[in-house]
Amino acid sequence: MLRLSKLTDYATVILSFMAKDEIQVHAAMEIAAVTGIALPTVSKILKMLVNAKMLISTRGAKGGYILARMPEEISVAAVISALEGPIALTECSISHQGCEQASGCDIRGNWGLINQTIHNALESVTLADLTRPAAVPEEVMIPLSSLYR
């Protein structure tokens, strides 16, 4: 199962909130109050996002955080990479060094293909997309007979 950390989940919540009013400077305390995420956690995530150059921080009485780029220019893949590191489903997706089975593995290259496909999918979703109401998926009808082959 693919699973992202709570910090990455919270980062998408924080960034989505900020993307709704991208020119507004937001204080950490305001973000914590609106999102319901604890202030120490919000502060930690904001620092990580500033380090990843997704946010710009300003000090002072009117200081806070603002998006470094337009929401349409910040992908979910970039957010995940900022908090988790490189997107990789298996160790060999990023390096052949860490796998004891690398010499006899016939599918190593295919993991790279799978990893790239998932990365491309995540790259195609932006913060702007996350701020839009979720579309209701169409109901898909599968013939019952196809389940018993």
Side-chain angles (χ1 to χ4, degrees):
M1 167 186 263
L2 280 176
R3 188 172 293 235
L4 300 175
S5 71
K6 276 284 193 205
L7 288 182
T8 302
D9 182 16
Y10 292 160
T12 60
V13 171
I14 291 167
L15 288 169
S16 296
F17 163 71
M18 294 178 74
K20 290 177 184 173
D21 190 0
E22 66 216 48
I23 58 171
Q24 170 82 25
V25 176
H26 300 279
M29 198 174 300
E30 170 205 5
I31 294 168
V34 170
T35 62
I37 301 169
L39 181 58
T41 304
V42 168
S43 297
K44 179 178 181 174
I45 293 168
L46 292 172
K47 182 177 180 181
M48 294 171 83
L49 294 171
V50 167
N51 289 339
K53 302 195 181 348
M54 287 189 195
L55 297 179
I56 298 169
S57 66
T58 310
R59 292 181 177 221
K62 295 185 181 192
Y65 299 86
I66 191 167
L67 294 177
R69 298 185 303 271
M70 300 296 291
E72 297 81 8
E73 298 171 355
I74 300 175
S75 72
V76 171
V79 176
I80 293 170
S81 295
L83 279 94
E84 307 271 347
I87 296 172
L89 298 178
T90 61
E91 188 63 38
C92 65
S93 296
I94 51 176
S95 169
H96 300 298
Q97 309 293 324
C99 181
E100 297 172 4
Q101 307 301 321
S103 62
C105 181
D106 294 334
I107 64 167
R108 179 175 61 223
N110 292 326
W111 273 115
L113 173 66
I114 294 166
N115 199 70
Q116 187 61 50
T117 302
I118 290 172
H119 185 273
N120 292 346
L122 294 170
E123 193 68 46
S124 72
V125 179
T126 67
L127 284 184
D129 296 324
L130 295 181
T131 63
R132 295 184 189 108
V136 179
E138 288 185 35
E139 191 172 311
V140 177
M141 303 297 274
I142 301 172
L144 189 58
S145 62
S146 69
L147 300 175
Y148 296 105
R149 290 188 186 168

